[in-house]
């Protein structure tokens, strides 16, 4: 990263070196807390992406041949470097995304857990072996890397989401090209520098900044064997359809509308705390945010009152200060969220807390929307049907468990769903019957640990493989089964008969 005047140039990191070329196109990068431009990121052309893919393909050959012991040592070294640089990377995230530094630290720590999982790659890449499947014949399986893989990551978790994929892909022996969001691109560059310091060979990790042109180039280049994507459902579907049409392996994680069902026997204070933390963390800009509370009628008034009481204590402002919630990532996103608040109010939902009003502890030009709470939301309203991706929580009142479960299962998304109850039977029925990939029981944000896999159902996932965990290892490898015979030295003779197991 080099600096020109007060605007930083943010450019590609290719083979451990920053690109020195001249970009025909750039995109502005802003500090959401102030509304001021802080950087300009170079946008890659198709030709540049193809050049980087070719270099990565060369590096992939040597890295795949590197022993798993050596790969593991690089992973362990990277883990130590990432841990030592958590604060610095968190501050970079806050400066471009807007989330509080504490929230950004949590993001880096969650990514670190996947790195730690990937450190055990020698065990995870073990194949199977069967002796004497036929006379003097043994059979065994191998897991081998794919070659070059691409990671297209979103703005909302500029460090964590790449680390869902990159450590496992590298540990498995692949070369990786990351295309981060152009809204907050600097954190990925900082992390890629740590891979270099950890001893990863040049070309095994590369950062290419860009927009649709760069994405399409990765999807079309035949040397790119697989793509991991996280973003909105329309783009996830596009990535899946174009990538698979080109014969690639695709895991494309899309949008969500996560529901939290609160039954009458639940601890309402616990449920209220969970609703607030689940809805407003990271200003609601996360695919696992609680965006709908399904409150059973008999406890709805009390629950809404408890949620409102807690929301009124939250401070919205600059993420580098003492705020609980930072700004929205861009001015356009802020305006879109405000539009949804206006639409919900006009549609007749009860606007309990209006996040447009402030006060905001930050620059007047910052992109602020405070936590917003709607009650009596109808399922036909846009604040219910659409993924707002902002700090807007909608309360829908339901008659009981069955109505709540039916609403969840009727939704087009199936990322995460949670239930708050002290009834073990209801919880068990919920976990079995709910149509969602990640389920929480008295847990508001059921993001799995790194050794399990992350991903939803329905329009929240395109492709068969979830992120990290064992599914991540399988996604970045392909299996090969070997059937082998070493004839007995005394064996002689020729036979054209069909092989039989005697």
């Amino acid at each position: 990263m080099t600096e020109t005047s007060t605007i930083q140039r943010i450019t590609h990191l290719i083979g451990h070196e920053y690109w020195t070329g001249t970009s025909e196109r750039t995109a502005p990068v802003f500090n959401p807390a102030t509304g001021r431009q802080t950087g300009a990121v170079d946008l890659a052309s198709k030709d540049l992406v193809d050049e980087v893919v070719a270099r990565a393909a060369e590096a992939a050959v040597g890295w795949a041949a590197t022993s798993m012991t050596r790969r593991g040592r690089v992973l362990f070294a990277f883990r130590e470097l990432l841990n030592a640089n958590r604060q610095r990377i968190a501050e970079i995230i806050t400066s471009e995304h807007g989330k509080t530094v504490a929230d950004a630290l949590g993001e880096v720590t969650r990514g670190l857990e996947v790195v730690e999982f990937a450190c055990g790659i020698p065990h995870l890449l073990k194949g199977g072996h069967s002796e004497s499947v036929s006379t003097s014949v043994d059979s065994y399986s191998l897991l081998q890397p794919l070659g070059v893989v691409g990671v297209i990551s979103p703005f909302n978790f500029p460090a964590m989401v790449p680390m869902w994929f990159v450590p496992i892909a590298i540990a498995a022996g692949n070369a990786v090209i990351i295309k981060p969001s152009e809204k907050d691109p600097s954190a990925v560059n900082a992390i890629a520098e740590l891979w270099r310091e950890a001893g990863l060979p040049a070309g095994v990790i590369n950062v290419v900044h860009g927009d649709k042109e760069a994405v399409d180039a990765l999807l079309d280049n035949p040397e790119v064997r697989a793509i991991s994507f996280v973003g909105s459902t329309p783009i996830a579907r596009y990535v899946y359809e174009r990538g698979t049409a080109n014969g690639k392996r695709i895991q494309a994680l899309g949008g969500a509308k996560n529901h939290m069902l609160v039954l009458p026997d639940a601890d309402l204070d616990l449920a209220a705390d969970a609703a607030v933390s689940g809805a407003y963390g990271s200003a609601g800009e996360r695919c696992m945010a609680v965006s709908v509370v399904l409150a059973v009628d008999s406890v709805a008034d009390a629950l809404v009152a408890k949620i409102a009481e807690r929301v009124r204590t939250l401070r919205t402002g600059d993420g580098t200060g003492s705020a609980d919630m930072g700004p929205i990532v861009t001015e356009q996103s802020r305006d879109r969220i405000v539009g949804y608040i206006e639409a919900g109010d006009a549609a007749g939902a009860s606007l309990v807390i209006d996040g447009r009003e402030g006060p905001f502890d930050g620059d007047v030009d910052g992109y602020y929307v405070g936590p917003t709470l709607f009650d009596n939301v109808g399922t036909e309203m846009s604040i219910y049907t659409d993924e707002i991706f902002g700090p807007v929580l909608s309360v829908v009142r339901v008659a009981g468990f069955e109505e709540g479960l039916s609403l969840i299962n009727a939704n087009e998304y199936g990322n995460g769903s949670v239930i708050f109850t002290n009834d073990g039977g209801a919880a068990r029925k919920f976990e079995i019957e709910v149509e969602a990939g990640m389920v929480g029981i008295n847990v508001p944000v059921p993001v799995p640990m790194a050794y399990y896999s992350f991903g939803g159902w329905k329009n929240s996932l395109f492709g068969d493989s979830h992120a990290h965990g064992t599914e991540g290892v399988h996604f970045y490898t392909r299996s090969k089964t070997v059937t082998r015979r070493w004839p007995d030295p005394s064996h002689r003779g020729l036979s054209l008969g069909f092989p039989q197991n005697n």
Side-chain angles (χ1 to χ4, degrees):
M1 194 183 306
T2 58
E3 189 169 341
T4 305
S5 182
T6 58
I7 303 296
Q8 286 187 318
R9 180 191 180 190
I10 304 162
T11 195
H12 322 292
L13 188 56
I14 305 167
H16 290 336
E17 301 294 334
Y18 280 108
W19 187 60
T20 57
T22 301
S23 181
E24 295 181 358
R25 300 181 303 123
T26 64
V29 177
F30 295 91
N31 181 340
T34 64
R36 288 188 282 275
Q37 183 178 353
T38 58
V41 60
D42 291 335
L43 301 178
S45 65
K46 178 186 182 300
D47 289 343
L48 180 60
V49 172
D50 289 344
E51 177 186 329
V52 176
V53 171
R55 294 184 62 177
E58 293 178 5
V61 175
W63 183 240
T66 301
S67 72
M68 286 189 283
T69 300
R70 168 62 179 154
R71 286 188 232 155
R73 288 173 183 160
V74 172
L75 265 290
F76 275 106
F78 175 73
R79 187 263 176 205
E80 295 303 307
L81 289 165
L82 182 62
N83 190 48
N85 286 273
R86 284 188 302 167
Q87 182 71 30
R88 178 174 67 88
I89 293 172
E91 290 172 359
I92 293 172
I93 293 169
T94 297
S95 70
E96 293 181 349
H97 176 277
K99 66 177 68 177
T100 66
V101 173
D103 198 1
L105 272 170
E107 169 185 347
V108 178
T109 301
R110 177 64 75 164
L112 187 62
E113 293 172 0
V114 181
V115 178
E116 292 168 345
F117 170 77
C119 285
I121 202 66
H123 173 72
L124 300 171
L125 293 182
K126 289 192 301 184
H129 184 276
S130 297
E131 182 180 359
S132 297
V133 296
S134 187
T135 305
S136 300
V137 175
D138 305 324
S139 187
Y140 55 96
S141 61
L142 307 173
L143 289 177
Q144 297 183 320
L146 302 179
V148 179
V149 300
V151 174
I152 303 169
S153 62
F155 75 85
N156 59 323
F157 288 103
M160 183 186 73
V161 168
M163 284 191 284
W164 282 354
F165 306 112
V166 173
I168 298 174
I170 286 177
N174 299 284
V176 181
I177 300 172
I178 313 173
K179 205 298 289 182
S181 170
E182 59 272 33
K183 297 175 183 176
D184 46 7
S186 296
V188 165
N189 278 8
I191 292 169
E193 290 175 355
L194 298 182
W195 281 108
R196 174 178 59 192
E197 192 175 344
L200 189 69
V204 177
I205 189 167
N206 307 273
V207 181
V208 175
H209 300 285
D211 52 10
K212 185 178 183 297
E213 182 175 347
V215 170
D216 287 347
L218 289 172
L219 291 172
D220 294 343
N221 191 301
E223 285 284 358
V224 179
R225 309 296 186 186
I227 293 286
S228 300
F229 171 87
V230 177
S232 69
T233 285
I235 306 303
R237 182 183 287 109
Y238 172 83
V239 167
Y240 175 76
E241 291 176 350
R242 184 158 180 162
T244 54
N246 286 321
K248 299 188 191 308
R249 187 178 290 185
I250 302 290
Q251 53 180 178
L253 283 66
K257 195 70 178 182
N258 304 313
H259 292 63
M260 172 178 160
L261 176 58
V262 182
L263 299 188
D265 67 305
D267 181 328
L268 294 189
D269 287 311
L270 176 65
D273 289 341
V276 172
S277 62
Y280 303 118
S282 196
E285 294 176 310
R286 56 188 184 192
C287 65
M288 288 298 288
V290 172
S291 53
V292 177
V293 169
L294 300 173
V296 174
D297 288 327
S298 60
V299 295
D301 286 343
L303 180 61
V304 170
K306 288 178 179 292
I307 293 173
E309 177 185 4
R310 288 158 172 77
V311 172
R312 291 189 179 99
T313 68
L314 299 180
R315 296 163 298 171
T316 303
D318 192 322
T320 62
S322 58
D324 300 298
M325 197 179 82
I328 306 302
V329 66
T330 64
E331 183 178 17
Q332 294 79 10
S333 295
R334 187 269 315 274
D335 292 346
R336 177 181 50 77
I337 294 166
V338 168
Y340 274 110
I341 297 172
E342 293 170 348
D345 191 25
S350 303
L351 185 51
V352 180
I353 296 176
D354 188 346
R356 298 170 295 181
E357 297 177 349
F360 306 125
D361 184 15
D363 194 293
V364 294
D365 293 323
Y367 311 139
Y368 294 105
V369 178
T372 297
L373 177 62
F374 280 103
D375 190 11
N376 297 301
V377 174
T379 56
E380 78 288 349
M381 298 178 184
S382 63
I383 56 173
Y384 176 80
T385 59
D386 297 357
E387 183 183 28
I388 299 174
F389 222 65
V392 180
L393 178 61
S394 297
V395 177
V396 176
R397 298 181 178 227
V398 295
F401 175 89
E402 293 296 342
E403 184 184 355
L405 180 63
S406 295
L407 278 177
I408 295 172
N409 289 346
N411 195 269
E412 66 171 304
Y413 299 109
N415 213 38
S417 294
V418 302
I419 186 172
F420 275 72
T421 180
N422 286 317
D423 184 335
R428 185 174 186 276
K429 183 178 176 64
F430 183 84
E431 71 179 43
I432 292 171
E433 296 185 9
V434 72
E435 295 179 12
M438 292 168 283
V439 179
I441 299 173
N442 297 323
V443 173
V445 184
V447 175
M449 296 298 291
Y451 36 84
Y452 284 91
S453 297
F454 180 105
W457 289 9
K458 298 188 283 190
N459 282 343
S460 294
L461 176 72
F462 297 86
D464 297 325
S465 179
H466 292 177
H468 59 70
T470 55
E471 289 190 51
V473 175
H474 291 157
F475 182 78
Y476 289 120
T477 58
R478 53 186 171 180
S479 64
K480 178 183 291 182
T481 302
V482 181
T483 303
R484 177 185 65 188
R485 170 189 284 162
W486 293 115
D488 187 285
S490 64
H491 172 77
R492 295 292 184 271
L494 177 66
S495 174
L496 300 182
F498 192 85
Q500 297 182 52
N501 183 1
N502 297 319

